[in-house]
Structures are given as structure tokens and as C-alpha cells.
Amino acid sequence: MNSYIETNKGRFLSELLDLLRIPSVSADPAFNADTRRAAVFVRDSLAAAGLDEVEICETAGHPIVFGQKMIDPALPTILVYGHYDVQPADPYELWNSPPFEPVIINERIFARGACDDKGQFYMHIKAVEAMLATNSLPCNVKIMIEGEEEVGSDNLGAFVIQNREKLRADVILISDTSIIANDVPSIETGLRGLSYVEVEVTGANRDLHSGVYGGAVANPINVLCDMIASLKDEDGRIMIPGFYDKVENLTAAQRKAMNEAPFSLEDYKADLQIDDVMGETNYTTIERTSIRPTLDVNGIWGGYTGQGAKTVLPSKASAKISMRLVPHQTPDEITELFSNHFRAIAPAGVRVQVRPHHGGLPYVTPTDSLEYQAAHRAMEESWGKAPIPTRGGGSIPIVALFEQQLGIKSILMGFGLDIDALHSPNESYGLFNFYKGIETIPLFFKHYAALKKG
Ligand code: BES
Ligand code: MN
Ligand code: MN
């Protein structure tokens, strides 16, 4: 099989570049036709890999692509999940080359979606192709690639509930996360949840002259800034009553273990060109980005932002706020706590509206499970060193739903790096990572099938 991969490497890469040329931006309806083209591309590549019953499943939004190879019902089944949609490429002017015209520079592919998640799910299609072509698929496989992960996977939730039988499997395998470094393999054992809200503060019934009314009428932008500033204290703790009530506290031993993972604060700061980090007192950067919840403003607007100066008290100001959640916080509860608090702290003279957006539950997987051990062995075999378990900071909300609705655990065997710049301009993915994934995935299949056999 390795010689099959070796012989076909060049083709695998050029196919991925073709996929990256399709701007499948799920958030923006202007790209709907392209997003569908990406689904068709994925369907065709599942068929070309040798999967059966390959189909495009329609949803109320972007379609889900599915295919499977059932070789023996007595064998275990691995369900691969990924997403063919990508984040918007804006701001375009910050890209060194156009986001949907992939280029390879210094052994890295630069394009929107290179790592998140096209480059990563495509590894699975090529790994399955290699196993089928060399008659070495050791168990059944199902592949489901959706087109709405970056917008909250709303329709996938309904699809999962309606297709329990179709999706029946023993484990879910996902490559949509990162490793510590190319010479430090790791496996994410957790994802954070998410609560996302939009807030709007309204003052007077119209924009006002800031000389005639300024100083006497609430300025919604000033008020919104004050309200947001009050959400955290000087220790970076979130001041919403009840926010931490359910937060899982790790033991000193667990915290010590997670902080033993290789991490250089100097490199971290140098990469971001910042002279210091900032966050909750008494927690390390590793902890702040994994086991602790957060509250961040993602966007804020209002008033006059055009050329020159306009003297105006705006009537409205708005912000988008995200909270990353940890076990055992739930998006419904946290959104409710936020809304109640935010309305309560609004001063007289303004009205406040809070609109909830999508959310997702956090997820953790134990390291003593058979499926984790299979991933551990696969990475150990392909790297020649044992992978380190880490807790991730990002969210893949559907993973908790898979567990709730299908009763199946997910293994987060991702191959990205922090420097891949997910969601940022100049997103990239290393050729090393792409090929390492294609090599490691069949080892997961092998070890999983062997461990299940007992
Ligand atoms: N692949 C990411 C999540 C991720 C990235 C997890 C790196 C761990 C490490 C995923 O595509 C993503 O961006 N998720 C969103 C979820 C949201 C749109 C509901 C996120 O985390 O912001
Ligand atoms: Mn992703
Ligand atoms: Mn993403």
C-alpha cells in the first residue's frame, strides 16, 4: 500500500489543488453554486476511490456527501466525518496570493481550506482509495462530508437524527484539528463548546448632533463599550453570575500533565509578534486555550466609520460575542445567563437586545478507550514516537451530537499546525502533513480492526 501511495502522491496533490480552486464558502449565498460544485467533486472522488452507494444527500442548506464500503457486516465500521465548506476568505487584500488559486511555497499549500478542512478530509479519501486499490481495507468504512460546518452544522443535526441506521458505525474518525509540531505528534482529546450571541444597544430614536445632544443622552457605543468592559474583571475572569458554576476543574495532577506538553511561550509570542500574552490569572497559555472558558468580542460596529469626521451620537451600536465553553457548560444555559446579565446591566436610557446564534456542546474523549489506543498506535507507528494527548480549543459542535444521537465516540486525529492560519488570510497546509495523514490513516484502520478483534 505504501508503494501505491508513493506512486500516486503527485496525483493526490493535484486533485486536492483542484478541490481548493472551488470557493465553497458556506456562509455567503453568493457562493452557493460553487459550494454545490464542491459537493459534486467530493461525490466523484468517493466514487473514484471505489466506494459504493455514493450520493449527494439534499438538506435545507448545503448538501451532505456520503459513500461507504461494507466488506463484511461482522467487521467493525469506521465512519469518517469532514467538511468541504470553508470560511470566507475576507479580507482578500491581506492574502499574498488569491485564496482560491492554490500555490505551493516552501512545501506548503496556500489556499482557503487548505487545512480546514479540505486538505484534511481529502487525506481520508486517498487513504481509503489506497486501501481499496491494494486490497488491504481491514474493516467497513463510511465517509460523510458535510457543507455547513463553518456555519454551525444545523442541517447535519437533523440528517443524523433521521439517518441513524445509515450512519451506524463503531467509531467516528475526524481529521479537523492540529498536532503540536511536525516532530511532536499529538491527539486532541477534547473540543470546546460554543455560545454565540449578537447584541444591540439602542439609545435615542435617531442619530443625533453630538454637540446639541452630546453629554445629555446615552451614546449607545459608549454604553456598549462600558457593558462589554464590565464582563471581565482585572484577573480576566468572566463576571456573568453563574458562568463558572458547572465548569469542570481539573486536578493538580491533570494540570501538571497537560503543562508538560512541549510548548514555547517565546515561540508563541514571536509567531504572533506580540510582546506578551493576556488571559485569566493563574492559568497557563495551554490551559487558557483549552480547559478554560472564554468570552470574546468578534465584531463591533455602530456610528460613523467613513472618511473624515462626522459629529454624531449614533442611535444604535452592536457587537458579536462568542463564549467558548468547557465541560459541563451547555450553550443553552450559558446563552441564557449571558442574556439575563447583559439586559440587567443596561443603564436607563438605552434598550438592549440579545440574539442567540448557533452554539455547540463541548466534547471530551477518554485516552483509555480502544479507539484512542488505535489512534495512538497509528501515530506511534508512522512517527516512530508516541503521540501526546492534548485538549483542543476549537469547536466542532456536531461531535457531541454524534455521541448523543448515535452513541458513537469520535477520534480527533488531525494533522494541522497552529501556523496553518485557519480562518485567517494565507491559510496553508504542509505537504508533510498531507502525506503523513494519508500514511497514518490506514494504520488507524489496521490497529482499530486488530484491537476490536481482541
Ligand atoms: N476545524 C475547526 C475547529 C478546530 C480547529 C478544532 C483547530 C481544533 C483545532 C472547525 O472548522 C471550526 O472552525 N469550528 C468553528 C465552529 C463554529 C463555526 C460553530 C470554531 O471553532 O469556531
Ligand atoms: Mn474544520
Ligand atoms: Mn473552521
Side-chain angles (χ1 to χ4, degrees):
M1 185 181 50
N2 285 331
S3 75
Y4 181 90
I5 294 173
E6 198 51 46
T7 313
N8 291 283
K9 276 174 92 160
R11 174 172 59 83
F12 292 172
L13 176 60
S14 74
E15 290 170 4
L16 172 61
L17 299 184
D18 285 340
L19 175 59
L20 291 170
R21 286 189 187 97
I22 307 175
S24 45
V25 178
S26 51
D28 184 349
F31 293 95
N32 279 355
D34 295 305
T35 305
R36 177 160 296 269
R37 268 205 299 136
V40 170
F41 184 104
V42 174
R43 179 198 63 195
D44 293 348
S45 49
L46 292 181
L51 294 180
D52 301 325
E53 293 149 271
V54 169
E55 57 180 321
I56 289 184
C57 308
E58 298 301 333
T59 71
H62 303 299
I64 295 158
V65 188
F66 183 85
Q68 61 181 14
K69 190 75 184 184
M70 300 300 288
I71 52 177
D72 180 348
L75 289 172
T77 302
I78 296 173
L79 171 61
V80 172
Y81 162 81
H83 61 95
Y84 65 80
D85 65 318
V86 300
Q87 286 273 322
D90 311 68
Y92 280 69
E93 64 278 13
L94 296 184
W95 285 77
N96 298 327
S97 55
F100 299 106
E101 294 172 29
V103 290
I104 296 170
I105 299 169
N106 294 334
E107 307 280 295
R108 310 189 62 75
I109 311 161
F110 286 86
R112 170 57 85 231
C115 172
D116 187 10
D117 179 39
K118 287 173 172 171
Q120 295 218 58
F121 82 71
Y122 206 66
M123 304 180 310
H124 287 266
I125 300 183
K126 295 299 104 177
V128 169
E129 174 190 316
M131 287 187 278
L132 284 171
T134 55
N135 249 317
S136 53
L137 183 69
C139 53
N140 304 308
V141 60
K142 297 179 177 180
I143 300 187
M144 174 169 70
I145 311 295
E146 71 149 319
E148 298 189 313
E149 195 277 340
E150 300 292 8
V151 290
S153 300
D154 285 346
N155 294 299
L156 181 59
F159 181 83
V160 165
I161 291 163
Q162 287 156 16
N163 289 277
R164 288 205 172 86
E165 190 51 37
K166 187 192 195 79
L167 301 177
R168 185 205 292 273
D170 297 277
V171 66
I172 296 171
L173 183 61
I174 303 174
S175 296
D176 195 22
T177 53
S178 304
I179 52 174
I180 293 174
N182 280 351
D183 58 353
V184 188
S186 59
I187 302 172
E188 290 195 8
T189 62
L191 294 162
R192 286 195 284 195
L194 183 67
S195 167
Y196 200 110
V197 296
E198 192 168 320
V199 298
E200 186 184 77
V201 176
T202 306
N205 60 357
R206 59 182 189 273
D207 286 4
L208 302 173
H209 189 290
S210 67
V212 177
Y213 290 96
V217 177
N219 178 333
I221 300 181
N222 295 9
V223 169
L224 177 59
C225 290
D226 286 346
M227 290 171 73
I228 289 171
S230 78
L231 294 176
K232 282 193 198 174
D233 71 6
E234 60 281 11
D235 286 318
R237 264 184 86 82
I238 297 158
M239 301 301 285
I240 299 169
F243 187 86
Y244 291 97
D245 283 2
K246 297 201 173 155
V247 166
E248 173 190 58
N249 287 307
L250 272 67
T251 63
Q254 284 172 315
R255 289 181 63 185
K256 183 165 177 286
M258 71 183 299
N259 285 298
E260 275 160 11
F263 174 76
S264 159
L265 191 58
E266 286 318 306
D267 293 352
Y268 187 84
K269 292 191 288 191
D271 174 45
L272 302 175
Q273 294 179 304
I274 51 175
D275 55 18
D276 207 354
V277 292
M278 190 176 189
E280 200 182 350
T281 308
N282 293 330
Y283 290 94
T284 64
T285 297
I286 289 183
E287 292 169 334
R288 288 169 179 172
T289 54
S290 63
I291 57 162
R292 299 300 295 168
T294 64
L295 183 151
D296 278 291
V297 180
N298 296 250
I300 184 161
W301 66 99
Y304 182 71
T305 56
Q307 289 283 316
K310 176 185 179 192
T311 48
V312 62
L313 284 190
S315 160
K316 283 179 190 299
S318 302
K320 291 182 196 274
I321 297 175
S322 68
M323 290 160 279
R324 295 281 169 174
L325 313 181
V326 300
H328 306 282
Q329 293 177 302
T330 68
D332 288 350
E333 276 177 346
I334 294 298
T335 300
E336 165 107 12
L337 290 176
F338 176 92
S339 308
N340 292 340
H341 179 66
F342 208 71
R343 282 194 275 263
I345 61 175
V350 301
R351 279 164 293 136
V352 167
Q353 258 197 28
V354 181
R355 288 184 213 101
H357 279 265
H358 51 243
L361 288 162
Y363 177 76
V364 275
T365 186
T367 54
D368 58 3
S369 69
L370 189 145
E371 51 267 28
Y372 183 87
Q373 282 311 311
H376 181 99
R377 288 181 192 189
M379 282 195 148
E380 185 166 40
E381 186 174 339
S382 77
W383 259 273
K385 60 165 104 166
I388 297 168
T390 60
R391 287 272 294 264
S395 308
I396 309 177
I398 202 67
V399 170
L401 194 126
F402 285 149
E403 182 170 25
Q404 281 181 336
Q405 294 296 330
L406 302 174
I408 315 175
K409 277 282 185 186
S410 294
I411 291 297
L412 304 161
M413 198 172 74
F415 294 87
L417 292 175
D418 282 351
I419 57 158
D420 292 345
L422 316 186
H423 298 197
S424 303
N426 304 307
E427 177 178 349
S428 67
Y429 192 44
L431 295 180
F432 170 86
N433 306 73
F434 180 59
Y435 292 128
K436 200 65 164 176
I438 298 174
E439 215 179 280
T440 308
I441 289 160
L443 299 174
F444 176 87
F445 278 64
K446 179 184 84 173
H447 288 297
Y448 185 70
L451 283 166
K452 279 294 260 192
K453 225 184 210 166

